[in-house]
């Protein structure tokens, strides 16, 4: 079995399971948000109270991490399938990692910041 250093998972089965698990988390989070919007009269106060709760903050961070894992595995697969030049692929993967870390820290500071 070939081990790729830039792969998030250990192998194809591990990546497959991570993709499915993150998709389930994202689906549950979408249902959570849609049900809040459907059953609540949305105002600034209700929205800030909703996102002020610890459960919503933790669930939002879990959903964000799921999106980032899902995106990394998908983009890694696309880059390894279609970009044959190793230096270009490595640079693009580094760029993707930098953007994903930027998204993570932006979400973290926005959600748990002031």
């Amino acid at each position: 079995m070939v081990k790729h250093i830039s792969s998030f998972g250990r192998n194809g089965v591990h990546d497959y399971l991570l993709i499915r698990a993150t998709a389930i988390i994202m689906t549950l989070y979408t249902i959570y948000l849609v049900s809040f919007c459907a059953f609540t009269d949305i105002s600034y106060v209700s929205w800030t109270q909703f996102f002020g709760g610890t459960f919503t903050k933790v669930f939002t961070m879990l959903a964000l991490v799921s999106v980032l894992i899902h995106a990394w595995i998908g983009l890694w697969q696309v880059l390894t399938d279609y970009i044959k030049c190793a230096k270009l692929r490595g640079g693009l993967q580094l760029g993707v990692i930098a953007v994903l870390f930027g998204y993570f820290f932006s979400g973290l500071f926005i959600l748990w910041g002031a």
Side-chain angles (χ1 to χ4, degrees), residues 36-37 39-51:
F36 171 76
C37 292
F39 299 114
T40 304
D41 184 29
I42 298 175
S43 65
Y44 177 77
V45 174
S46 65
W47 193 253
T48 53
Q49 287 176 348
F50 178 69
F51 275 99

Side-chain angles (χ1 to χ4, degrees), residues 8 12 14 22 27 30-31 38 41 43 52 60 64 66 70-71 92-93 96 98-100 107 114:
F8 189 81
H14 189 252
T22 57
T27 302
T30 302
I31 292 169
D41 184 29
S43 65
T60 301
L64 177 62
S66 295
H70 200 92
L92 289 172
Q93 287 175 344
V96 167
V99 168
L100 294 178

